[in-house]
Structure formats: structure tokens, C-alpha cells
Amino acid sequence: MTSAKKILCIGAGYVGGPTMAMIASKCPRYRVTVVDIDPERIAAWNSDELPIYEPGLDQLVAAARGRNLFFSTDIEAGIRENDIIFVSVNTPTKAFGLGAGMAADLQYWEKTARQILAFSESSKIVIEKSTLPVKTALAMERILNSRTNGVFFDVLSNPEFLAEGTAIHDLEQPDRILIGSRETERGLKARETLAEIYANWVPREKIITSNIWSSELSKLVANAFLAQRISSINAVSALCEKAEADVTEVARAVGMDSRIGAKFLNASIGFGGSCFKKDILNLVYLCRNYGLEEVADYWESVVKINDYQQERFIRNMLGAMFNTLAGKRICLWGFAFKANTSDTRESPAIFVTRRLLVERAEVVVSDPKALKNARIDLAGAAGRVSYVEDPVRAAEGCHAIALLTEWDLYRHLDLRKIFKTMEKPAFIFDGRNLLDHRRCFDIGFNVYPLGKPPLTHF
Ligand code: NAD
Ligand code: UGA
């Protein structure tokens, strides 16, 4: 049995909360504290209504909270009392100054490092959980070890690979845990201390180690590869629409090649989420900084195709609906950036709504979990937007449904009943290829899937 440990996580977000809940659950002898500067977020973590929706999270938190899992705003005490500190603060794209719109904004990370330095009375292991540009650990080491009072900090990189909506599964059975460290005696010892934590439930062969720069870079590259697959299939979806091929059939045939693999080949309105775009832009910025223009252009094209796919979706809607959306009611099924989350950060639904409003359409937003965030995202939007949780009621009186999030519930709706309540001709634009398109067509809808020939009654 491993010894008891006292662990702190700074940043109680989508990563910090679930990750620490998993550690507390799997390691009952450890004491795990999660701190944040946002008192509302901490209050929510301490309540029955957690700040994020994630399947299985409520139960995990309820079982450990108050036993060996604590949420607090007392960052100073947290730093003083713990010797293993994960940092999981946000690292958004920089919105100002040099690198604006591309580079990672490291202000939250650096503030955290300075707080750790200010409040530490003993040596600590500081773990980069946030996704960061390569060589951030070097800057952290320089800040943290800038004093000569005998207190020393070992900085490790331990990127998180969980995906929202499946976070609990991903944390419980990760494909791998990656730990990067300095390859000094101290660095290797710190690396082993962290590996020991995960070894409580993750098989040792899945806990891999590397030098610290490889670890930082691997996270950016993993996200870039995942996003690249989506942009590849989305680019192919545009060609399929012209060539009367079916993108689902192409993806199946291509994905059965074991060298390519079947996952992450679902054509869509484009990837969303807080990380893919920001991490690729961060990679692009790094490449440009090193003078690698061709490499930067290559990765930037992944983001360009993603923008193109969203714009294409709107143009297809406009074209299909007789080149005018003005005054038409359009119902959005789904606003979250993917199913099984309430997260709407960088959701293509935000872009689609704004573009529909520019066309002077009326938009009815429906989503089982994300309406609260949708309201915040669209707060400044000029035009008419309403929010209706029930997808059947949301579609009433609408000219078209645009399916934007692949929530399973949309598969099981009474489409015949929905069709009757809609304006005619009624349209479905399936941005996720989720519905049974032949059935929708037989009911009377004009159906526009992605990357497949449309089924229309005209
Ligand atoms: P988030 O915005 O949900 O959470 C970050 C939290 O950090 C916020 O609650 C914020 O208040 C807090 N914070 C900021 N500065 C602070 C400070 N000085 N002291 C204390 N708290 C502070 O972000 P997230 O989605 O959890 O992402 C965190 C990091 O993990 C990012 O670098 C992201 O790229 C990476 N990541 C995210 C995911 C994901 O699925 N969301 C997956 C893997 C990696
Ligand atoms: C992604 C990665 O999958 C995680 O490994 C990583 O840890 C995380 O980013 C991160 O660094 O934040 P996440 O964004 O939560 O996770 O969700 P994904 O399942 O990757 O989906 C991202 C977007 O791609 C969603 O909008 C989704 O709908 C879209 N997608 C996904 C497709 O359009 N097609 C697919 O085949 C798969």
C-alpha cells in the first residue's frame, strides 16, 4: 500500500474537479483539496448542483466529498498544507498583445506559480495539468526556484487527455498516463511520486514517462491529430456532396484499414470545445516562432477547414431554403459542443446562431443540458432567440430543424408528430448525420444530411 499523501489542485474546472474526484475516490487514504479563485464555482462544487454536467460525476463527488475530497477558496492554506500541487487553471488563447488570437495566455498559470512561491514553507512537487506550450515548465522552474531559502520545487508535466461527456470513464480507464520530468535524480524521484498516485488504479504499463518537453508537446500534438482527423473527414464530406458519394460509407471503408482506425471519423458541423482550436493555434504559433512556416501552415489548415465547414452548413441552409431565411423560424436541436456535456465553449452552435440572426431568422434553441450556457453565449446577440428545452415544442411552427449536437434523445422523437406542427415545406439539416434520413424523407421532410445527397420532395 502506498503512503498517505496530501494533494492540492489549483483550478476547479472541467479538468480539476473530475480529476481530483477520481483520485479521491481511488485513493481513500489521500486527502485531496481543490481550490479556485471563483467562489461561486467552489460553492457549486460543495452543493447538490455541481458547476458542470458530466455523466457519473455527481455520484463520484458525493461519495468522496467531506471524506477525503474538499473544495475551498482558501488558496493560501491549500498551498501551505499540501506538498503535491496540480495546477489546472485555464490557458485560453491570448486576446491581446503579441501573439493575440494564436498564443496561449499564460497569465493565470504565472499568477498561480507566484502564489505557490509566496505561500510555500516547504519543498513541493508542482504538476502542470493544464495544456501549455512547450518549455512552459522552464519558465515555471525559474519563477518557483528564484529564492534561495532552501525550499525547492520540482516541476512535472502530466497532461490530461480526458474528453468531456466521457470524463469519468476516461479518468478511470485511461489509454495512458503521461508524466514528463527532468531526468535528474530529483526529477526522477518526483516522477515516481506522481506515478505512485496513478498506480492505485491504472496498470503500470499504461503509466508512461518522458522528458518534460516531450510531455508538454505530446498533449498539443494529440489534440492536433484528433482535430486533423475531423477536418479530414469534413473536407471529404464537402466532396461527397458534389460527387454523390456518402461520407458515412467512405468513412467506414477507410476506417476499416487497421492502420487508419475507425474512431473520430464522424463528419460534423465542425469540432468545438475549449481546446482543439486553442491548442492547434498554440502549436501554430510555436512553429512560427521557431521559423517553421510550412509546418505552421499545415496545422493551421485544420482550423481553416473547421471554419469552412461551419460556413458551408449555413450556406447549404440558405441555398436549400430558397436563398432567404429572413423571418423564418429555425429550431436548433442541440447547443452543447458535443453530447453529454453542458459545455458550449467554442460550440459551432454559437456560430450557426449568430449567422442565422444575421440572415434575420428567428432562432429557437433547444438542448437538454446547455440552455443556461447558451443564454450566456448569446446574451449580446441582436435578434430574436428563444430557449425551449423540449425539442418537440421547440420545433412547433418552425420552417426548419438544424441538428447540431448528437444527443441520443433526438434519435427517439416522434418525427411524424413534429412534422405536423411545422411550417411547410419543412426542412431538416442534420449536422451530425444522426437521424434516419430515409424515414424523415418518407414523413415529408426535405432532408439535408452532411456529405450525402439530399432527400427532397422538389
Ligand atoms: P476551466 O476554465 O473549466 O477551469 C479553470 C479554473 O481555474 C476556473 O475555475 C478558474 O476560476 C480557475 N483559476 C484561474 N486562475 C486561477 C488562480 N490563479 N487560482 C485559482 N484558480 C484559478 O478550464 P478546464 O476546461 O478545466 O481546463 C483547464 C486546463 O486543462 C486547460 O489548460 C485546458 O486546455 C486543459 N484541458 C482541458 C480539458 C477539457 O476537457 N476541458 C481536457 C484536457 C485538458
Ligand atoms: C478533446 C480530446 O478528445 C481529449 O483527449 C482532450 O483531452 C480534450 O479535447 C482537451 O484537451 O480538452 P473534447 O473536446 O472534450 O476532448 O471532446 P471530443 O470528443 O474530442 O470532441 C471534440 C469536438 O469534435 C466535438 O465538437 C465533437 O462533436 C467533434 N467531433 C468528434 C466530430 O465532429 N467528429 C468526430 O468524429 C469526433
Side-chain angles (χ1 to χ4, degrees):
M1 188 188 280
T2 57
S3 60
K5 297 189 196 310
K6 287 197 296 174
I7 295 171
L8 177 74
C9 178
I10 303 182
Y14 284 84
V15 169
T19 310
M20 293 304 121
M22 184 57 69
I23 292 180
S25 155
K26 297 294 183 186
C27 315
R29 297 180 67 235
Y30 297 178
R31 185 186 159 90
V32 181
T33 307
V34 190
V35 292
D36 203 288
I37 35 167
D38 181 346
E40 268 180 44
R41 234 183 191 184
I42 291 299
W45 280 111
N46 282 321
S47 77
D48 289 337
E49 206 176 314
L50 301 184
I52 60 175
Y53 170 72
E54 190 61 52
L57 181 63
D58 286 13
Q59 298 88 311
L60 200 68
V61 170
R65 195 173 54 197
R67 180 193 69 190
N68 67 331
L69 176 65
F70 303 91
F71 294 93
S72 160
T73 50
D74 194 344
I75 299 174
E76 183 176 337
I79 291 170
R80 202 172 298 120
E81 289 163 11
N82 293 280
D83 15 75
I84 299 174
I85 304 181
F86 288 84
V87 183
S88 184
V89 299
N90 35 330
T91 49
T93 304
K94 207 174 164 195
F96 55 87
L98 197 64
M102 297 294 283
D105 183 348
L106 296 176
Q107 61 171 312
Y108 307 102
W109 233 103
E110 179 159 343
K111 268 180 203 149
T112 307
R114 289 184 187 280
Q115 277 178 311
I116 295 173
L117 178 63
F119 303 134
S120 289
E121 291 162 358
S122 57
S123 295
K124 298 183 194 295
I125 297 175
V126 177
I127 303 155
E128 294 178 342
K129 198 56 161 161
S130 303
T131 304
L132 296 159
V134 192
K135 297 273 171 172
T136 303
L138 186 63
M140 293 306 136
E141 284 172 348
R142 285 184 177 156
I143 293 172
L144 289 168
N145 292 320
S146 58
R147 286 195 189 149
T148 48
N149 57 353
V151 173
F152 191 85
F153 297 90
D154 291 291
V155 179
L156 299 178
S157 159
N158 172 220
E160 183 50 59
F161 296 101
L162 69 80
E164 290 177 28
T166 54
I168 304 306
H169 167 271
D170 299 345
L171 288 167
E172 191 156 32
Q173 293 174 46
D175 287 348
R176 76 308 207 181
I177 295 290
L178 174 59
I179 305 175
S181 73
R182 290 281 191 180
E183 286 164 318
T184 57
E185 199 181 322
R186 279 196 69 103
L188 295 177
K189 192 161 165 252
R191 185 195 268 191
E192 180 49 29
T193 303
L194 180 56
E196 236 176 48
I197 296 177
Y198 288 108
N200 280 285
W201 77 96
V202 180
R204 272 283 176 170
E205 63 275 15
K206 288 196 169 185
I207 305 177
I208 61 168
T209 55
S210 72
N211 85 36
I212 198 159
W213 321 127
S214 305
S215 174
E216 288 177 332
L217 185 57
S218 298
K219 173 63 196 177
L220 295 181
V221 173
N223 273 359
F225 269 56
L226 289 167
Q228 178 207 45
R229 279 176 76 88
I230 301 168
S231 279
S232 296
I233 200 67
N234 281 343
V236 169
S237 77
L239 179 58
C240 286
E241 285 167 30
K242 298 286 181 205
E244 291 180 56
D246 178 328
V247 73
T248 310
E249 294 177 351
V250 173
R252 188 185 57 196
V254 170
M256 279 178 78
D257 185 324
S258 59
R259 293 167 304 173
I260 296 173
K263 292 183 182 165
F264 255 68
L265 286 181
N266 295 320
S268 67
I269 35 163
F271 57 76
S274 63
C275 294
F276 277 176
K277 187 173 172 186
K278 112 176 140 60
D279 292 347
I280 294 174
L281 293 178
N282 186 345
L283 188 64
V284 169
Y285 186 73
L286 272 171
C287 294
R288 292 212 195 287
N289 246 351
Y290 287 120
L292 303 170
E293 292 299 328
E294 287 79 1
V295 184
D297 291 346
Y298 173 72
W299 286 113
E300 196 165 20
S301 71
V302 172
V303 175
K304 285 188 178 152
I305 288 287
N306 201 50
D307 295 342
Y308 164 75
Q309 185 75 346
Q310 295 174 47
E311 181 61 28
R312 220 168 63 74
F313 187 75
I314 287 288
R315 285 177 189 240
N316 280 348
M317 281 182 89
L318 249 174
M321 294 179 75
F322 321 114
N323 293 312
T324 175
L325 297 173
K328 292 181 180 167
R329 256 170 97 81
I330 314 287
C331 170
L332 304 188
W333 277 356
F335 201 86
F337 80 98
K338 63 183 283 195
N340 298 318
T341 177
S342 54
D343 195 351
T344 59
R345 290 178 292 179
E346 297 289 335
S347 176
I350 300 173
F351 172 83
V352 169
T353 309
R354 289 188 188 279
R355 287 288 278 104
L356 290 175
L357 292 174
V358 169
E359 295 297 333
R360 308 237 168 123
E362 268 181 50
V363 182
V364 186
V365 179
S366 180
D367 190 287
K369 295 286 175 198
L371 286 192
K372 192 173 160 195
N373 283 331
R375 280 198 171 88
I376 297 168
D377 296 327
L378 300 174
R384 292 185 59 189
V385 189
S386 49
Y387 303 87
V388 181
E389 191 173 320
D390 176 2
V392 179
R393 278 208 311 109
E396 269 173 31
C398 287
H399 295 75
I401 295 166
L403 193 156
L404 303 185
T405 312
E406 72 285 19
W407 287 102
D408 198 44
L409 77 104
Y410 300 142
R411 290 180 206 274
H412 311 293
L413 298 174
D414 185 343
L415 288 165
R416 207 170 281 283
K417 182 173 153 198
I418 290 168
F419 179 73
K420 280 192 193 138
T421 69
M422 290 179 63
E423 289 288 329
K424 308 296 177 319
F427 294 81
I428 288 187
F429 299 91
D430 188 352
R432 296 287 184 167
N433 286 339
L434 184 89
L435 301 172
D436 178 340
H437 299 139
R438 174 54 58 177
R439 202 172 152 258
C440 297
F441 173 74
D442 290 343
I443 288 170
F445 285 105
N446 296 297
V447 189
Y448 289 79
L450 265 181
K452 302 173 193 239
L455 299 169
T456 72
H457 298 279
F458 306 124

